[in-house]
Structure formats: C-alpha cells, structure tokens
Amino acid sequence: MRTVMMLKMIRYSWLVAPTLTILLGVALVGQPIVVRARKGDGGPAVKAELNGPSSITIDPEGNLYVYEGVGLDVRRIDGRTGIITTILTGCVEPWKKPRPTGCLPPIGKIGFDPAGDLLLSEFTYNQLVKFDFSSRSLNAVAGNGDLHYSGDGGKATDAGIAVSYCFSHDGQGNLFVCDSTYRIRRMDGQTGIIATVAGHGERGFGGDGGPALDAKFGVLVSMAVDRFGSLYVADDTSNRIRRIDSRTGVIDSFVGAAEPAKGGSTFIPFVEFSREGGPAAMARFNSPRSLIFDPNGNLVFALQGRVCKIDNLGNLKTIAGTGEDGYSGDGGAAIKARIGPNGLAMDKRGNLFIAEYESNRIRRVDAQTGVITTVAGNGLPHRPPQSIM
C-alpha cells in the first residue's frame, strides 16, 4: 500500500493555537495544540508545498483535507477560494514514549463521519480519534490503545484494536474498522458497541462463498460501504477487492482474479494489469487501494499508475492514468496522464481528486470533461523516491 508515514520532518515557524490536545485518546482541556505554519499557508494551494500527501477527504461543504505522510500535518483547502491552511500539526517525535501531547501522532487515514466530524486512524497508538470542529477537541472513537484483540460486546473505546489504515461508515452511521489481526470490526452507530463482522484472526486468503466471520484476510488497506450497506475491502496480499453482503454476511471476491500470496506469505505475486473494458471479476492487477464510491454508486479504486471504475454492467474501466507512475498530462485527458495515485476522494459532482505522494501534488479530474489538472502542491520539497507500503 502507498499510504505512508515517513521519518523526515519539515521545520517551519511555530504558531500557537488555543485548542485541546489528546493523551491516551482523551481530550485534556487547557493544553494547546501547537500549529506549525507551513510554506504556502494563507495562499493558493497550487503554490504551496505538500510533503507526501497520502490521504484525502472532502467535507460536506466541499472543502478538501489532506494528510501528509511525510510532513505529518493535516491541511485544509477551501473549496471556494482554493486557499490552503494547516489545521493539525504532527508530532516532531511521533514514536516517543510516553505519548507526546500537543501534536498529532502519525495517521493512516482521514475521513468524515455522517455528523461532519473529522476521523483519523492513529496506528501508532491504536486508536481511531475524532476532531470536533465546534469544540476544537480530539477524542477517542474506538480503541483503548492496546493492539491486542479484545472487547467484542462492549464499548468500542474499551476495546483492543490493532488500528490500521482503513475505516468507513454505512448509511446508518455504523463504523467499520480494519483490524491488523486480520479482522474487521464494527461499531454500532447508536450504542457504541463493537463486534467482529469478518475474519477469525488467521492470515491468508480463503472463505469466499461462506460467512465472512470464517474468512482469511491478508493486509487490508482500504474499505468502503455501498448504498445498500455491503462492505468492500481491498486485500493487498490477495490482489483482490472482496465484498461482504450486508443481508447474508457472505464474502466473495468482487474484483480481481490474480493469484493471491501463498499461505501466510507477505510476498505479493506481481501480475500484469488486464481485462480493461471486461468483467471486473476476471481482472488481474496488483495491490488495489483507496476504495470510494462515485455519486452513481460505482466503485472507484487506485492501482499502480491508474484509477479504475467498475461500471453498472460490472466492467472494469480506467478513468485516469496510463498505468505508469509519474507526473504529466495536466490540461489533457486524464487517461493519457501519468499519475501516482495514493489517496482518492470525490465531490458531490463526481469530480475526482487524487493524492500523489511522490509528486507532492493533488490532481483533479473533471467529471464532465475528463481533463486532469493540479489543484494543490508545487512539487516541493524534492526528495529521493522511497519505498512505500
């Protein structure tokens, strides 16, 4: 997977914003978060530095939020003006014990819940936390900080969860979380009670056609819920997107027919991309990630050098990228551009936003014309290519 948090830090001037901080997931009143002013803040996002954008999301008003996998900050781009600001600052020593206060630990993913609060997965401290914009506080939503699997049948905040990179909500406000113990957990949106809904803790690939609770998973890197409540998960080591039917609880391979990793191996067999324009269930590709749904209910996801969509006939179609990583093609057709997709987001009009970790940019694909442009990031800072998970 391409979502990353790296060791390099960018040092800029420091500003203090009166707000709250977190320690073991609980907001502590009166302890301010220190916000680091970044190059470009207060100006056009396209002229600003982005340091390894890895996860993006859009709020109900159309503003874009970017988490930087290297800079470790959360940036906000105004949907009307295109002005960028920093709203949360990452810790300078993120793995320090005890947990640092006044800053944001490394994050796997950011996203909004149905109430409009920003959620962040803290894989370093094994909690999913919420940033409340009205109270300016951060609070634990799920996880007690212990990575060992525990807590089913109780409050999600009391449960042991090996928080990883992915979470998603259904239409009823129920929260699904990837657990690195090869399970998927569900927090009830009304009661806050947590339960396991898929996986039994064994790594591998298996269980298609049967109950999701009996399934084996590899490394789960992304998830999304469709309008009917069915859950889709990207399994990195099986080179598949798997679906859990909301009515029956049965799991199957929705997209992908490539050979999965053998046994519990972490080695992912390389396969050539195939089946463009054909049935998605028979497609072959490596490492699907960044699952989202477009306004028409079509599944959209990222691969190496391309973004694909499953249309309403079940066929696979490339909507951006040539399959070759890189940065080129602005002002032309997105399908002829070189891209390095990491995180994806889509607005209400169906415009696609692509976070490119390597190029330090955010690209936008117009829903009507299919033309790609850069909307954030000037390509700086330069750094050598790094291996990413």
Side-chain angles (χ1 to χ4, degrees), residues 226-228 232 292-300 310-312:
D226 69 14
R227 62 183 65 177
F228 305 108
Y232 297 71
I292 59 174
F293 282 94
D294 71 14
N296 296 318
N298 300 308
L299 182 65
V300 177
I310 311 299
D311 65 22
N312 56 12

Side-chain angles (χ1 to χ4, degrees), residues 181-259:
T181 61
Y182 314 115
R183 297 175 172 93
I184 297 171
R185 317 286 290 274
R186 174 187 179 273
M187 186 188 81
D188 188 280
Q190 299 298 317
T191 66
I193 299 299
I194 195 169
T196 299
V197 295
H200 62 274
E202 183 178 355
R203 180 177 181 135
F205 173 76
D208 276 7
L213 282 168
D214 294 337
K216 297 179 184 179
F217 292 108
V219 179
L220 300 179
V221 295
S222 183
M223 61 168 55
V225 183
D226 69 14
R227 62 183 65 177
F228 305 108
S230 294
L231 180 65
Y232 297 71
V233 292
D235 190 333
D236 191 64
T237 44
S238 74
N239 293 320
R240 284 170 164 81
I241 297 172
R242 304 174 75 182
R243 175 180 58 188
I244 302 169
D245 189 281
S246 61
R247 296 166 301 150
T248 65
V250 170
I251 190 170
D252 64 5
S253 290
F254 179 70
V255 185
E259 184 72 14

